[in-house]
Amino acid sequence: MYESPESAWSISQLDEVVWEVWKAIELPEGYRAEIIEGAIEVSPIGRLAHARVVNRLRAALLRFLGEGQYASYQGMNVIHQRRGWIPDVIVAPEDLESHADEDGLGVDAAAAHVVFEVVSPGKRNQERDRVRKLREYARAGIPVYVIIDDYHAGGTVTVLTEPRTEDADWVGLHRVPYGTEVIIPEGPAKGFAITEAITGPARAEK
């Protein structure tokens, strides 16, 4: 579809307005704001079950990565072209100073080697992690995206690899049920196993 220079400029202007509003937002404790596909989305911080999985995941990553050049982070802004996301956990360099975005709000998406999302209850939350963030992380060229999902078929872990930035999609998709070990295939977390010790057992289908 043809896009006139005027419409492209309008999109650019809108992105800049959204970006400035997002930077100025002050939220009550317990909420976070992200820019996903051009819109600001406010959501509550995850419930107890969500926090339990995130904490297990990050603790396991800390042990796996050790004292090397990479670390796992929780609750950090990942920035890409006037978008701002807060993945549940990321793997990025231990020294983040040279990878900060130009506004100092977080880390540039190019430094995120793996992003993890633990899906929260609710149709909109599930669609955000399974669809919209899947596209956004692909557009940003993040090498590996992992979705830990209590709400799909009693619990599944999906590992997405080889992002197609122009198509906002992924070449590689490997999905296993809870209770089946799945391995991160590349990058600084290569060999890291996501197991039932992190996800917990399969859930009743919801």
Side-chain angles (χ1 to χ4, degrees):
M1 183 177 69
Y2 172 74
E3 184 178 79
S4 70
E6 291 81 5
S7 64
W9 172 241
S10 297
I11 292 169
S12 176
Q13 284 182 314
L14 179 58
D15 283 346
E16 193 64 34
V17 169
V18 171
W19 176 253
E20 294 300 326
V21 170
W22 178 75
K23 289 196 296 181
I25 286 177
E26 294 186 11
L27 294 173
E29 186 175 351
Y31 288 84
R32 64 181 183 176
E34 301 173 280
I35 304 174
I36 302 175
E37 298 195 322
I40 295 173
E41 296 193 17
V42 176
S43 58
I45 293 172
R47 300 178 182 181
L48 177 61
H50 178 278
R52 186 182 298 120
V53 175
V54 170
N55 287 337
R56 288 174 183 160
L57 172 64
R58 184 159 183 244
L61 279 165
L62 286 170
R63 291 191 296 271
F64 180 86
L65 295 168
E67 299 296 325
Q69 297 179 354
Y70 295 91
S72 62
Y73 300 89
Q74 185 176 344
M76 178 184 293
N77 289 322
V78 174
I79 308 297
H80 178 70
Q81 295 181 353
R82 294 303 192 249
R83 302 288 193 265
W85 315 300
I86 308 175
D88 287 314
V89 178
I90 71 170
V91 173
E94 176 73 39
D95 179 7
L96 287 180
E97 290 301 318
S98 60
H99 301 284
D101 74 289
E102 62 184 14
D103 292 294
L105 297 172
V107 65
D108 189 277
H113 293 269
V114 189
V115 293
F116 298 83
E117 296 285 5
V118 178
V119 178
S120 294
K123 183 178 179 180
R124 183 165 179 79
N125 292 329
Q126 293 165 25
E127 192 265 349
R128 179 185 64 226
D129 291 341
R130 295 171 183 167
V131 180
R132 286 177 288 120
K133 279 194 168 181
L134 180 151
R135 292 192 295 245
E136 287 283 65
Y137 293 151
R139 289 186 186 105
I142 293 170
V144 181
Y145 176 31
V146 179
I147 307 170
I148 299 175
D149 192 345
D150 276 6
Y151 305 95
H152 179 261
T156 60
V157 180
T158 302
V159 178
L160 295 144
T161 57
E162 299 179 72
R164 299 202 310 260
T165 56
E166 292 185 1
D167 298 330
D169 204 353
W170 303 78
V171 174
L173 186 156
H174 181 57
R175 178 176 292 133
V176 301
Y178 282 8
T180 302
E181 180 179 276
V182 61
I183 305 294
I184 301 299
E186 61 181 89
K190 181 178 180 179
F192 176 74
I194 303 167
T195 68
E196 189 172 314
I198 293 171
T199 65
R203 278 58 160 168
E205 290 200 34
K206 303 176 183 181

